Amino acid sequence: MSRLIIRKVAVLGAGVMGAQIAAHCANADVPVILFDLPAKEGDANGVVAKAVAGMKKLDPAPFAAKDRVRHVEAANYGSDLARLGECDLVIEAIAEKMEWKLDLYAKVAPHLKAGAIFASNTSGLSIEALAAGMPAERRSQFCGIHFFNPPRYMPLVELIPTAATEPALVDGLEGWLTTRLGKSIVRAKDTPNFVANRVGVFSILAVLHHTQRLGLAFDEVDLLTGPRIGRPKSATFRTGDVVGLDTLAHVVGTMQATLPDDPWSAHFRTPDWLQALIARGALGQKTKCGIYRKQGKQIQVLDLQLQDYRDSGGEVFPEVEAILKLKNPAEKFAQLAAHPHPQAQFLWSIFRDVFHYCAVHLGDIADNARDIDLAMRWGFGWAQGPFETWQAAGWQAVAEMIRDDIAHGRAMAAVALPAWVFEREGVHAPAGSYSAAENSLKARAALPVYRRQLYPDRVLGEAPDDRGETLWENAGVRLWRRADQDARIGIVSITSKMHAIGDEVMDGLLEAVARAECELDGLVIWQPAPFAVGANLQQVGEACRAGEFDLLEKMVAKFQRTSMAIKHAQVPVVAAVQGMALGGGCEFVMHAAHRVFALESYVGLVEAGVGLIPAGGGCKEFALQAHAMAQRAAGGDVFPYIQNAFQTIAMATVAKSALEAVQLGFGRGSDDVLFNANEILFAAIRRARAMAESAWRPALLDPQVTVAGRNGVATCEMMLINMAEGGFISAHDYRVARAAATALCGGEVDSGSRVSEQWILDVERAQFVELLKTEKTQQRIAHMLETGKPLRN
């Protein structure tokens, strides 16, 4: 199969979705032309310009780095349609009105280049009906590409072909979306709301129905339907506010209009209270008022009994809380169904009705059960999909409970469970996942792109992944390999909780590097996110309380030896980074010979938050960078290059993407940034192999590093004095920042002095230990351990 080549993209519609789809293409270095209507006055491209300007202010940011905005060009339908001829992929993302879309298609179709793909980002309109609006000769290049909001962060994209869409085009597009944009693909059937929204919106409707039936409060329901049951923190009603209550009502309306024969159709309606909120413009987060609102610092929630807002609170009934903490899913569901408390009945009811709905509609809406489960995980953030949850709880036992509820009129619809439910012990098995339409198990897609995913997201009951051959391990680290990938490239994985770096991890990494130097050609540091959350604060805090500062100094020295072992190993060490790489984790990343980042990597030296400075070589690495840049610049003054690093460390700045991590100096311009985190191990193994086979050689210790010295420290202090006098930092913040400046500038030496790397390591270690001895740093460490939040003291 030939590779799909997309050199430029056009996005039609600069609304919330269209603009952010354009931004994410720009993140991936794909040039984008973003179209909208001509402005009624002023610049004809004013509508697009306003949308792009608005994205710069959003948090979380649609752009992975500020400079990505330069890849987005503004255009309008009035004068620029000919520019569509430059684009290989055109994505329509205008409002969900069929007549508007068909009218636009008629206008743009004559301007499309031969072979260009035209796709709609519709969230639920018929793709076949939309395709009918294209010229007959273009329908083979038409399909649906449904991104989830926000497009940069939500992994799911539903790919919906028509009967006429070229199969090779769909395969190529799936590969491009997966690797280039980092998306997780579910191929959907052309049914209303497709897969994730069909199930997700039904789940919301079930929550609405049972909330009203059992007389529960909205904040009470959000306590029940969030992380306690494996759903996002925003739960149900907060999610409605975030998505937009008008948007939610529109999607429900689509189901109402297009699914009149659905057995649950009586429930496809928005409640009166929700319609009233929409009517008065209380649409949720975008209007600062919806089901919830903020009054000063207090979050308030709508109370239907009071017909007004009240302070948000609520609690979970203790016996229900105890049931939710049960480890055995079968026991948990049996107790929820049997317990008389309204909260327990509510939880059993919403799970039962979603199980029921998915079983009845599996053959209609999805190719197989795996697609439904992954769609809900990727598109709605569920920890497990509905079929996984059901199967874990005991397939046949739950099926009998559902059948009994249907028989006694307790379910939302009277339709019977399909016969296949009682013929199976579940829907996921090592051989594949059940397809109701074909009455068989379906294996995963075998497209070439998926060979790059050594550990893809698996569903419960699926064949387990190959976890490789262990070469050596201790309590904190495992050294292993995947012989099917490269038997001579080792993989070292941190196995401690949250991958915190304590003694056992440092011992393990030192041993792994030593073994790799003797027995392997290269080494990859990889573990699932987070990469590492920094030093084991528990160990540090205990040593502080015991006054064991000599022991702490030895611990820091070992940390430095570990970083230096990574940097100066006789085989290339590649860090494969995803998620958080903070503090010491960031320092390990900085010392690697090369980095393979997932785009969503959040990297930073955050020690200032607990009253410390980087002492695992992080300050030293920034001093080396400054030295190298000064050597290349006329004049050779290092301080201009220290200044940014000082601000980064003093402010505990965390990069909000891999692109920002490189810009901040935590990585290099030559590093790899992949958009699909599931591909980084594959790429890192191959990068290590390529380095081993090329002219790579380890870095040498530099005995002549030019440092900024006393003048540099004094210049940093000037900035601190202004911040202290303005009340922006405390006296201890000042002390911590000055310690960072001292380490970055090479200590109390003359400016322009030449020192060794070891000298700088000694300076940062000494400053670190002195801070540990202070009462305020010890208070900050204790507070972080107790609350997980930084203390300002």
Side-chain angles (χ1 to χ4, degrees):
M1 183 181 72
S2 61
R3 177 180 297 162
L4 180 67
I5 297 175
I6 296 177
R7 292 187 173 90
K8 183 176 283 190
V9 169
V11 177
L12 309 181
V16 171
M17 285 300 294
Q20 293 198 41
I21 291 168
H24 194 56
C25 289
N27 290 336
D29 293 313
V30 181
V32 188
I33 306 176
L34 179 58
F35 282 82
D36 212 297
L37 294 166
K40 294 180 180 179
E41 54 185 42
D43 179 6
N45 294 330
V47 174
V48 174
K50 182 178 179 181
V52 172
M55 284 195 292
K56 295 178 185 178
K57 302 173 185 176
L58 292 179
D59 186 20
F63 290 109
K66 292 178 182 178
D67 63 352
R68 299 293 100 173
V69 69
R70 71 179 190 270
H71 295 314
V72 179
E73 292 184 77
N76 68 83
Y77 305 132
S79 58
D80 300 321
L81 286 179
R83 297 204 62 195
L84 291 171
E86 304 170 22
C87 302
D88 304 296
L89 170 63
V90 178
I91 301 173
E92 170 269 305
I94 69 169
E96 291 287 274
K97 291 186 179 293
M98 180 70 74
E99 63 274 20
W100 291 7
K101 290 178 185 287
L102 296 179
D103 181 63
L104 181 62
Y105 293 5
K107 291 177 181 176
V108 303
H111 300 279
L112 301 176
K113 71 188 290 187
I117 302 167
F118 192 91
S120 175
N121 181 58
T122 178
S123 60
L125 297 179
S126 168
I127 298 298
E128 292 285 357
L130 290 170
M134 296 296 291
E137 66 274 11
R138 284 211 166 267
R139 292 173 192 167
S140 61
Q141 282 88 44
F142 182 85
C143 65
I145 301 179
H146 178 215
F147 289 81
F148 276 66
N149 189 28
R152 171 184 162 187
Y153 300 96
M154 293 301 292
L156 180 61
V157 168
E158 292 174 320
L159 193 55
I160 314 102
T162 69
T165 310
E166 290 179 8
L169 179 148
V170 182
D171 289 347
L173 199 52
E174 183 166 348
W176 185 82
L177 289 164
T178 298
T179 289
R180 191 63 179 267
L181 296 191
K183 294 304 163 189
S184 299
I185 308 301
V186 166
R187 292 201 190 184
K189 297 184 178 183
D190 186 19
T191 55
N193 288 353
F194 311 128
V195 179
N197 276 343
R198 180 75 174 269
V199 175
V201 174
F202 175 79
S203 175
I204 292 170
L205 289 170
V207 169
L208 293 175
H209 172 74
H210 294 297
T211 298
Q212 183 173 348
R213 179 178 70 85
L214 293 163
L216 302 182
F218 297 149
D219 51 348
E220 182 182 12
V221 168
D222 277 352
L223 286 174
L224 292 168
T225 58
R228 284 179 173 84
I229 61 169
R231 307 281 169 83
K233 288 182 181 179
S234 57
T236 302
F237 293 105
R238 285 187 190 278
T239 296
D241 274 355
V242 171
V243 170
L245 301 182
D246 54 337
T247 302
L248 175 62
H250 172 80
V251 179
V252 172
T254 299
M255 293 178 72
Q256 187 176 40
T258 56
L259 295 167
D261 298 326
D262 189 293
W264 285 265
S265 61
H267 299 284
F268 297 166
R269 57 183 181 80
T270 54
D272 293 342
W273 62 264
L274 182 54
Q275 292 179 27
L277 284 177
I278 295 168
R280 70 171 191 251
L283 306 180
Q285 190 169 280
K286 59 189 172 186
T287 61
K288 298 186 175 12
C289 183
I291 297 169
Y292 291 89
R293 72 179 185 186
K294 192 171 184 180
Q295 292 289 94
K297 294 184 178 180
Q298 181 64 47
I299 302 297
Q300 295 189 322
V301 64
L302 181 65
D303 189 312
L304 295 184
Q305 290 185 337
L306 298 175
Q307 291 292 299
D308 199 358
Y309 290 87
R310 60 165 172 80
D311 291 349
S312 178
E315 61 181 22
V316 176
F317 185 65
E319 291 180 23
V320 174
E321 186 80 86
I323 294 172
L324 291 174
K325 289 180 179 178
L326 293 172
K327 299 296 184 185
N328 184 323
E331 187 180 356
K332 181 186 300 185
F333 275 89
Q335 290 196 26
L336 285 175
H339 200 286
H341 194 277
Q343 291 184 356
Q345 288 302 300
F346 167 81
L347 288 170
W348 161 245
S349 297
I350 64 170
F351 276 108
R352 175 203 62 213
D353 290 329
V354 171
F355 296 161
H356 187 189
Y357 191 82
C358 289
V360 169
H361 287 298
L362 174 58
D364 304 328
I365 67 174
D367 179 65
N368 59 75
R370 178 179 53 248
D371 284 351
I372 287 182
D373 280 346
L374 290 178
M376 297 314 298
R377 282 161 53 175
W378 294 336
F380 278 75
W382 292 10
Q384 283 189 321
F387 285 120
E388 290 180 284
T389 306
W390 181 353
Q391 189 163 324
W395 183 266
Q396 285 298 336
V398 171
E400 290 296 341
M401 291 161 64
I402 297 171
R403 178 155 63 182
D404 186 65
D405 277 7
I406 295 168
H408 290 87
R410 292 188 289 266
M412 283 173 69
V415 61
L417 284 170
W420 64 260
V421 169
F422 299 98
E423 297 165 359
R424 308 191 57 79
E425 291 299 324
V427 289
H428 302 305
S433 293
Y434 183 68
S435 169
E438 299 180 27
N439 193 29
S440 64
L441 294 177
K442 300 290 289 290
R444 280 177 171 262
L447 295 177
V449 68
Y450 294 119
R451 295 173 200 156
R452 297 171 55 84
Q453 298 188 13
L454 304 186
Y455 296 103
D457 292 336
R458 298 285 186 194
V459 292
L460 183 78
E462 192 174 1
D465 293 311
D466 176 5
R467 289 290 159 177
E469 173 193 357
T470 299
L471 302 177
W472 177 87
E473 63 183 328
N474 72 351
V477 156
R478 177 187 178 223
L479 175 65
W480 55 291
R481 65 183 171 193
R482 283 280 302 249
D484 62 326
Q485 298 298 313
D486 193 324
R488 297 282 301 171
I489 300 297
I491 305 164
V492 59
S493 298
I494 300 173
T495 57
S496 58
K497 184 178 180 180
M498 290 294 288
H499 309 138
I501 302 164
D503 261 337
E504 68 287 353
V505 172
M506 291 183 279
D507 289 338
L509 287 172
L510 287 167
E511 179 68 19
V513 170
R515 287 174 177 261
E517 288 177 325
C518 296
E519 303 166 10
L520 300 168
D521 297 336
L523 190 64
V524 171
I525 305 174
W526 173 86
Q527 52 274 335
F531 180 82
V533 295
N536 187 326
L537 271 186
Q538 193 71 46
Q539 290 182 1
V540 174
E542 289 171 1
C544 281
R545 286 192 295 274
E548 297 175 331
F549 296 106
D550 289 343
L551 176 64
L552 284 165
E553 181 158 9
K554 291 176 182 177
M555 185 186 297
V556 179
K558 185 194 286 188
F559 213 123
Q560 293 179 339
R561 286 200 309 276
T562 307
S563 294
M564 296 297 274
I566 290 169
K567 181 171 183 176
H568 298 290
Q570 296 301 301
V571 294
V573 179
V574 176
V577 186
Q578 59 179 315
M580 294 182 293
L582 305 177
C586 174
E587 289 173 300
F588 286 166
V589 169
M590 294 175 73
H591 282 81
H594 191 86
R595 285 143 294 276
V596 177
F597 288 108
L599 176 71
E600 300 308 331
S601 296
Y602 310 112
V603 187
L605 296 171
V606 296
E607 288 85 352
V610 288
L612 294 168
I613 67 167
C619 294
K620 181 263 303 178
E621 282 299 296
F622 273 127
L624 288 179
Q625 289 180 31
H627 166 74
M629 288 187 283
Q631 292 291 102
R632 293 193 292 269
D637 183 9
V638 296
F639 184 75
Y641 307 103
I642 288 291
Q643 191 169 357
N644 287 339
F646 171 66
Q647 291 176 336
T648 297
I649 291 174
M651 301 300 291
T653 303
V654 176
K656 294 182 179 178
S657 72
L659 301 179
E660 280 194 5
V662 171
Q663 292 174 352
L664 289 170
F666 301 130
R668 304 289 181 271
S670 57
D671 290 336
D672 304 309
V673 176
L674 276 63
F675 277 50
N676 197 313
N678 287 330
E679 297 181 351
I680 64 170
L681 179 58
F682 175 92
I685 290 170
R686 276 147 186 80
R687 177 61 72 180
R689 168 53 58 198
M691 294 171 73
E693 298 296 335
S694 68
W696 178 88
R697 50 196 178 276
L700 295 176
L701 280 165
D702 195 334
Q704 297 287 311
V705 183
T706 304
V707 294
R710 294 187 191 92
N711 288 351
V713 176
T715 306
C716 290
E717 275 198 280
M718 289 174 62
M719 292 189 288
L720 295 175
I721 290 169
N722 291 334
M723 294 177 72
E725 289 179 350
F728 297 108
I729 61 174
S730 69
H732 196 59
D733 291 331
Y734 184 106
R735 180 169 182 174
V736 173
R738 191 190 187 284
T742 302
L744 285 166
C745 295
E748 299 292 344
V749 297
D750 292 338
S751 297
S753 294
R754 291 179 178 269
V755 301
S756 67
E757 284 188 57
Q758 187 59 50
W759 172 277
I760 305 173
L761 287 170
D762 292 344
V763 172
E764 69 176 20
R765 185 173 70 254
Q767 293 294 323
F768 183 92
V769 174
E770 285 304 308
L771 287 169
L772 275 177
K773 294 176 181 178
T774 66
E775 181 182 1
K776 290 192 180 296
T777 285
Q778 293 174 22
Q779 289 171 350
R780 290 187 181 191
I781 292 171
H783 190 269
M784 179 63 74
L785 288 170
E786 289 170 12
T787 69
K789 298 177 181 179
L791 172 68
R792 289 296 306 276
N793 59 353

